[in-house]
Amino acid sequence: MIGAQQSLRSLKAAKPARVGNFRRHTAARAVAAPPPPPRQQATPVTLDDEEGVGRGLYTSTNQEVRRVIPDNVNGRPVVKVVYVVLEAQYQSSLSAAVKQINETRPELAVEVVGYLLEELRDPDNFESFKKDVGDANVFIGSLIFVEELADKVIEVVQPRREELDACVIFPSMPAVMRLNKLGSFSMSQLGQSKSAIAEFMKSKKQKSGGGFEEGMLKLVRTLPKVLKYLPSDKAQDARNFMLSLQYWLGGSTDNLDNFLCTIAQAYTPALQEVEIANVSEPVTFPDVGIWHPTAPNMYEDLKEYLNWYDTRKDMKFEKDAPVIGLVLQRSHLVTGDEAHYSGVVMAMESRGAKVVPIFAGGLDFSGPVDKFYFDPIRRDIPFVDCVVSLTGFALVGGPARQDHPKAIDSLKRLNVPYMVTVPLVFQTTEEWTDSSLGLHPVQVALQVSLPELDGGIEPIIFAGRDGNSGKSHTLPDRVVPIAERAIKWATLRKKQVAEKKLCITVFSFPPDKGNVGTAAYLNVFGSIYKVLEDLRSKGYDVGPEDEFPKDSEDLIDLVISDKEAKLTSPELNVAYRMPVDEYYKKTPFAEDLHENWGEAPGHLNTDGQNMLVYGKVFGNIFIGVQPTFGYEGDPMRLLFSKSASPHHGFAAYYTYVERIFGADAVLHFGTHGSLEFMPGKQVGMSAGCYPDALVGTLPNLYYYAANNPSEATIAKRRGYANTISYLTPPAENAGLYKGLKELADLIKSYTELKEGGRAGGIVNTIVSTAKQCNFENDVKLPDDEADASDMTADERDQIVGSVYSKLMEIESRLLPTGLHIIGEPPTADEAVATLVNIAGIDRPETEPPVRGLPGILAESVGRRIEDVYKGNNTGNLEDVELNQRITMASREIVQAFVDKTVSGETGRVGADISNTLTKLFAPGLAADPWSAPIASDGEFKEFASADKEGLRTLFDYLGFCLEQVVKDNELGALTEALEGKYVLPGPGGDPIRNPDVLPTGRNLHALDPQAIPTGAAMQAAQGVVDRLIERQKIDNGGEYPETIALVLWGTDNIKTYGESLAQVLWFLGVRPMPDALGRVNKLELMSLEELGRPRIDVLVNCSGVFRDLFLNQINLLDRAVKMCAEADEPDEMNFVRKHAKEQAEEAGISVRDAATRVFSNASGSYSSNISLAVENSSWSDEEQLQEMYLSRKSFAFNSDKPGAGMTENRDSFERALKTVEASFQNLDSSEISLTDVSHYFDSDPTKLAEKFSGKKVSSYVADTTTANAQVRTLAETTRLDARTKLLNPKWYEGNLSAGYEGAREIQKRLQNTLGWSATSGQVDNWVYEEANDVFMADPEMQKRLMDMNPNSFRKMVATFLEANGRGYWDTSDENLDRLRELYVEVEDKIEGVE
């Protein structure tokens, strides 16, 4: 982390006038309406020094700073008031109101004490809360929306409810609202009966879309309508509740004074006969309006506000000054807690921007946005150039309920960038500063994740909270970049296109000239060329015509100088040489890098004198190469438990982009770079976090693969990226080739001739061919001596069925072919395989429900598809054949449908697809467009009786999906963003599971993290867990596995809505339970009778991305493990308890502490670094790789100390490893398999577990990429991967067609195969042998690879030699000699030696 003081010094040094001006503005108290209450004096809060303040909790503040006891009672009745609130904005005005009562009212005195909801986690605070409620007269609650803490409130208040004089609960969870009691007024039946108020509330809530708060406001405004439904004796109590709500929403000191007096007068027995004088009606403020700290009042009309604003004497603005819309919470304004808003206003205005700060009483801001943010004369033109929400909430709805479609409609109409910044709520400024986690996880879920679903960007903390007064205040080093970033987004709307400067950043990983332009599934230079052409056509300055690259190959040459440049020459084109003194002058945090890298220039991205920035400038477009982490080749640095800072070359790159080249925006090109993975807080970064410091004030656009929402979310939260999704390449079935094709032909012969006398001979040939294809470890085959002629027909069928099943598994596996080019959607034919797989899944959640095509076809021949799959998987020949017929029929049916949508000769779906589909589904057609293959005279006539209505529903859905697949806004979204427009949000994930991922060209988001695991995910997980346990029992002599090590990934859990998370809970026998708002944050231990087996112990290692996105779920898992460990059950039925007891005794700790099973990296660090070591061959032996894993992945989460984040606990990690009997990972998408990315082997614990357990550890992979889910061994999966991709001509020829980048893709698969050998030892020798035959033994293939990308070819040769040298591949001397010769040859070619 950059030193906080250094960061602030640097900020001042870089922009002294601005910071000084900003500080002067915020120091002077702005005149606001209404005036604030006097500041409360309190005993200061002291913070613990330890990480995770307050004994590992998120906050160490307590109620004593909110306790006011009257000094001079003078015989007055004392009313004790206890309150619990979510946020602290009421603290100051409520304390001031109580002091005002005690000083000015002769009739009564008030004692008050308040608790912030988060403080109730602390056992001491909770005990104090019990005591305070025990002798209270009045209890008040508001915004109690965290269920586990709401339960604590109910636990204490419910038993005292009848004894309390009054219990007043404002918008909160229904169970808390039911505590309300004012005389005869009660909400005890809320949600359980049809009372007049409850029904009225429900209808208002449904109409408003703004949640419970909005409904309450509407209820207040329509009070007379409600009261007429009530009996007269209850009307006064109901009126008092409504008055109380109005007082509370008014929030000022006087309103709260009158509120307390009204309640005390009406319900405190000692004041029943006393008339409290001067109790006023509520002073109301506008529900919606415009506020400004120096304005004389609030405005309810934009023209009136502008009349005042444009005649101000204190500020003058340029005629075309950017206008920033600010969104505020009304409660902060009426309670006088608005200094943080004033600070933002002053920061914006001091930088030349005008502001329109709007507020709303509820939490539906779509109305105020429509009312105040459009030009008052021309209502179709936005008046503001950028919107910055300072509420942290979703645009429509607060913590309880959101309406994202309504929010998106509103923002789409406005069509300007939408930033959602965040105030600290549950932590004080000091607690956030000291936390490695950063923002409190509940606040991340409510105020970061949910606004992202609206398309909100840049969740930067803008305000802190004082622990003593509860007041909010601006954080100057956060508000300055927020203001400058908002103004830069606004400027994009105003600046002429020809003047805009754009930096396109590409990645080079691992660092090698053959890897420039690395990105998942993307032809990077082909895509950049397409972007350059598009920008040129729109008027951007891309340089002189004669210097514009001729094609993408020419572009590659220009950026990397010459693909065949000598190693001794500069590796890449140098765009800028930055002198060291300029680097230090323009890089405020440069000295902070000395600790890791020494003084500049260092030894990376330098010529020894200057910092080198690699890339090429084309007019106003700079295509730059992002430097790498820098420690990839350093084994010692890779062993560090926490990631190092960026090196000087990395910092210099971003300094150049922002401060020398002067980019208006940066476009990071493809999945993914390094900036967002640099050290710093997980979410809610400070100026001392490297991603924040590096990106500076640059608007950050980021092309990101649509199937990777988890890492895209890291880019959004830590790199402030406005992501734009791109398609992955079109998928095809893997097909069969060489010996596999021959095997299929033999099986066809067998099925046709098996009744004759040739069956035995054909089966013998099938067996020998299967062995040549290395099937002996996948299928049970007879010995070489066996003769199939001596077998029974059933035995022969079983052998053939098993081989056929494996063969069809290979043939039908989906694989992406080639690389995607931005702006080029697939042809209709290319979309067929994707549509077939979309059609393969039942979708009961859609309206109307959609049945999968295989199920419909199976039913037409009297079978259940589940039974067909089961028989297929066991090698039953009849079922294998039927499954294959269903598969082939499905392809033909979908192909017939797609053929009807193709326009002309293009092979693409026509532009008028919607009209075409309407015609295809018109009533009265002679035949459905998909029916020919299954007609009575069709190729698959056995399915002729398939349910026609079910097929129409399915193809109606597929028509919609096809329309989305071929839509294209990838280029359009980029130019919209560069014009300062709103980029529509869209979910990321697997388009087969969730077609809503389409179309691409949208701002990617994940999901509400509190919504998983869903019920459907739990159901799917149970099937996988049952299969895995049964498989392990077979491999383990019938014994249950006692501990299974699992890896949890962010993207997998987003795509599947938490299936792998649910698997962990199924192993444990714990059921997740939703709260009253549908959020999953409760647990229930299943009984052993229900579970029907022992509880399996788990060792869970979470990826760094999963940790960042799902900290609440990590908390849930740790609670689940501890629940099992403390269950009073026999050891033989509860392996969690059995092991925890043994480990507790061994370590001398409690059973609860011994039950530590959930691990990840240190906060702000990612991966085990094994992948870096393997990719750079910078490791000596497997022990070194295992040490990397132990040092970087042994940070534990403890739900008893959630604020401490991930704490190093290697001892517990090693103790847990000793009991592991199996490891387990998930494959959930056809687009990503084990060797496609390095993440999977980077996190594989198999060999590590074997080291500590001292026994062989089984390793499994669950494959849920199709409806027929499978559990395979890791070895089976690596073989399947090799056959369908690395060794498959369809796959490697598809990549070779992409040239330079395709060659690199092949090299990467081979490298990842080596990674699996290193971490698991589960790669067969024949995989390397056959890969060598394909790529190295064929002279023509050698030449193609060497010409396309000599650097990648050299790496492939080196990988084969390394595999042999490390003992993973045993091969002939002839092969090794050839490889050595090839290495010398390619070295000479690269160095230019003839």
Side-chain angles (χ1 to χ4, degrees), residues 850-887:
V850 174
R851 291 190 58 209
L853 185 52
I856 294 173
L857 296 181
E859 192 177 82
S860 72
V861 292
R863 298 291 304 279
R864 290 175 66 251
I865 191 63
E866 293 80 10
D867 296 334
V868 176
Y869 287 153
K870 191 172 181 181
N872 176 85
N873 298 343
T874 58
N876 180 293
L877 183 57
E878 184 183 334
D879 285 337
V880 175
E881 288 183 293
L882 176 56
N883 187 42
Q884 181 62 3
R885 292 288 290 171
I886 288 171
T887 300

Side-chain angles (χ1 to χ4, degrees), residues 148-198:
E148 59 188 301
L149 300 175
D151 289 343
K152 287 177 174 284
V153 172
I154 295 166
E155 176 189 337
V156 173
V157 177
Q158 182 70 53
R160 282 273 300 143
R161 180 176 178 271
E162 295 309 313
E163 298 166 37
L164 288 166
D165 299 339
C167 188
V168 190
I169 310 293
F170 301 121
S172 295
M173 299 193 76
V176 185
M177 292 291 292
R178 288 196 284 270
L179 294 173
N180 263 301
K181 186 196 79 165
L182 288 177
S184 60
F185 176 80
S186 167
M187 289 191 181
S188 60
Q189 301 302 309
L190 187 68
Q192 298 175 354
S193 70
K194 294 189 176 181
S195 68
I197 286 186

